[in-house]
Amino acid sequence: MKTIDELLSDGVDGKRVFVRADLNVPLADGVITDDGRIRAVLPTVKALTDAGAKVVVASHLGRPKGAPDPAFSLLPAAERLGELLGAPVAFAQDTVGPAAHDAVDGLEPGQVAVIENLRFNPGETSKDDTERGEFADQLAALADVYVSDGFGAVHRKHASVYDLPARLPHYAGYLIATEVGVLKKLTEDLKRPYVVVLGGAKVSDKLAVIDQLLGKADRLLIGGGMAYTFLKAKGYEVGKSLLQEDQIPAVREYIERAEKTGVELLLPVDALVAPDFPDLKTKAPAHPTVVAADAIPADQEGLDIGPETRKLYASKLADAATVFWNGPMGVFEHPDYAEGTRAIAQALIDSPAFTVVGGGDSAAAVRQLGFDESAFGHISTGGGASLEYLEGKTLPGLAALED
């Protein structure tokens, strides 16, 4: 895999460099609520502009249905990128049409253009190789060189991620190189004890990685909405809590495997519960109560791990050498249910371990709760990509960069 440093050493002055970034930022009424993914691509973009490249930045945002949709426009991300660069950024209102070509043709060395959401074109996500290839051909016409720096998308076999690198000289950007280096530490150069913290809503999203980790991790700490399927598998009442009944047999099998292989699989011992899901817009007080994990009332919903679980999990992180965390412990967006996630983040900071926050909601929570990002070993920009790498899957966007 060639890196951007090799590209820069060859010289890029005046060349059109297509940077596949991940600008898939959360928006609320058109306002970016977390610009972490935009900031993550800055080192690559700055290095290229400083070297005189004409930089074409492309990304997806959300899940539009293969057609333009103003709700998913990349314009807010382009404007924020310009603010962070401290320089104007041109914005094309299409992906490969006249506006895109005009924006790219108008670039001077050291300038940047952002083209519109790639998923406005059905060729980007098509499962048909020919349709994807045709869109990749059109994208290739905009550039001389390809740089992959959107780690959050490398697990997708999409035109701009998988097909486009085959059509241009291709390199890994700084973010991709960093992310892959960190994940190798979790798979090839592992220091123990290795503790994995998994949360989030659905246990089905984590089954494959749990299957892999049962042979690699020393401890698994389970929280978030997915924990209630585990508790149900142990025969506990979980009330109105999030539950995937169809996953109970698989979860039960994993609990048994953990016992047989000596992996510590820890579940919450208490929970914060309430009759209803909180209002995340008004953040009105929710008045939760704390109950034991095996005593959740039938009319209550578990929404965060309780204080005893926070202490237990912190103690299991204290002597770790390596920690990977993916998924919040509760509904962290509401202050009454943020303490479980806050406790995990603080425990990672207090631990001497090399700590990796696995993207997605975990990364958003770290920023929303006001933690210093530099206090963690690494905060990934790709939750799904990180999990699939740990599952041992081949990621199309990384395979495409290999020569």
Side-chain angles (χ1 to χ4, degrees):
M1 185 185 293
K2 293 180 181 178
T3 68
I4 187 175
D5 285 332
E6 294 172 80
L7 171 61
L8 293 170
S9 69
D10 291 339
V12 292
D13 188 25
K15 289 185 178 178
R16 302 170 302 163
V17 180
F18 188 104
V19 177
R20 202 327 180 164
D22 179 10
L23 308 182
N24 185 27
V25 292
L27 296 169
D29 299 322
V31 177
I32 296 170
T33 58
D34 181 357
D35 66 359
R37 284 175 169 164
I38 302 175
R39 287 186 284 113
V41 78
L42 287 177
T44 290
V45 173
K46 283 182 176 178
L48 290 168
T49 55
D50 288 348
K54 301 175 180 180
V55 180
V56 183
V57 177
S59 176
H60 71 285
L61 191 151
R63 296 179 182 274
K65 301 185 185 301
D69 183 338
F72 297 105
S73 174
L74 274 178
L75 179 58
E79 292 174 342
R80 182 58 179 151
L81 178 62
E83 292 171 359
L84 292 168
L85 289 171
V89 167
F91 180 70
Q93 294 182 328
D94 59 24
T95 55
V96 291
H101 282 273
D102 288 347
V104 174
D105 291 344
L107 290 176
E108 296 293 333
Q111 293 184 336
V112 179
V114 174
I115 62 174
E116 187 54 285
N117 191 336
L118 292 164
R119 291 186 183 176
F120 284 0
N121 190 304
E124 170 68 0
T125 59
S126 176
K127 297 191 185 316
D128 181 84
D129 292 348
T130 300
E131 187 176 11
R132 277 201 330 276
E134 289 173 351
F135 184 48
D137 288 338
Q138 292 176 296
L139 291 171
L142 297 171
D144 306 303
V145 181
Y146 177 89
V147 172
S148 175
D149 216 34
F151 181 72
V154 294
H155 59 314
R156 306 294 188 192
K157 193 175 181 181
H158 290 170
S160 66
V161 175
Y162 178 74
D163 303 272
L164 183 55
R167 288 156 168 80
L168 294 170
H170 45 268
Y171 301 82
Y174 290 125
L175 176 61
I176 291 284
T178 298
E179 295 272 14
V180 171
V182 166
L183 289 169
K184 283 184 176 179
K185 286 186 178 182
L186 299 181
T187 53
E188 299 173 14
D189 186 26
L190 190 59
K191 292 180 172 56
R192 297 185 181 278
Y194 177 29
V195 184
V196 177
V197 185
L198 294 177
K202 294 182 178 179
V203 70
S204 56
D205 293 341
K206 305 290 197 303
L207 285 179
V209 76
I210 292 171
D211 185 62
Q212 288 291 316
L213 290 169
L214 282 174
K216 295 176 181 175
D218 298 297
R219 297 174 197 142
L220 288 175
L221 314 183
I222 307 295
M226 63 182 284
Y228 301 102
T229 301
F230 277 85
L231 294 172
K232 187 71 172 180
K234 289 179 69 72
Y236 297 167
E237 168 65 58
V238 297
K240 295 161 57 180
S241 305
L242 189 61
L243 176 65
Q244 289 186 283
E245 296 226 29
D246 61 324
Q247 303 298 332
I248 288 176
V251 166
R252 191 173 286 131
E253 191 265 328
Y254 287 154
I255 293 172
E256 292 170 359
R257 266 179 61 193
E259 291 174 355
K260 289 177 183 175
T261 56
V263 175
E264 276 192 272
L265 195 159
L266 290 98
L267 302 177
V269 295
D270 59 351
L272 266 64
V273 301
D276 300 298
F277 196 84
D279 188 326
L280 298 182
K281 276 200 168 182
T282 66
K283 306 287 175 73
H287 306 296
T289 56
V290 178
V291 299
D294 60 356
I296 297 174
D299 64 345
Q300 300 283 304
E301 179 176 4
L303 296 161
D304 194 12
I305 57 173
E308 292 305 314
T309 305
R310 294 173 217 155
K311 291 178 192 173
L312 172 64
Y313 284 8
S315 72
K316 296 295 182 178
L317 291 164
D319 67 342
T322 307
V323 179
F324 175 74
W325 172 31
N326 181 280
M329 296 293 100
V331 187
F332 73 91
E333 300 91 341
H334 192 287
D336 288 349
Y337 302 108
E339 293 310 307
T341 302
R342 187 189 304 279
I344 293 297
Q346 188 62 54
L348 263 64
I349 292 172
D350 295 341
S351 170
F354 173 65
T355 56
V356 179
V357 180
D361 285 342
S362 309
V366 163
R367 289 188 278 267
Q368 182 175 311
L369 297 175
F371 287 97
D372 180 358
E373 294 181 49
S374 66
F376 302 88
H378 178 69
I379 298 180
S380 178
T381 56
S386 295
L387 288 176
E388 290 198 15
Y389 191 101
L390 294 183
E391 289 168 23
K393 290 185 177 179
T394 297
L395 306 188
L398 297 184
L401 298 179
E402 300 292 346
D403 290 306

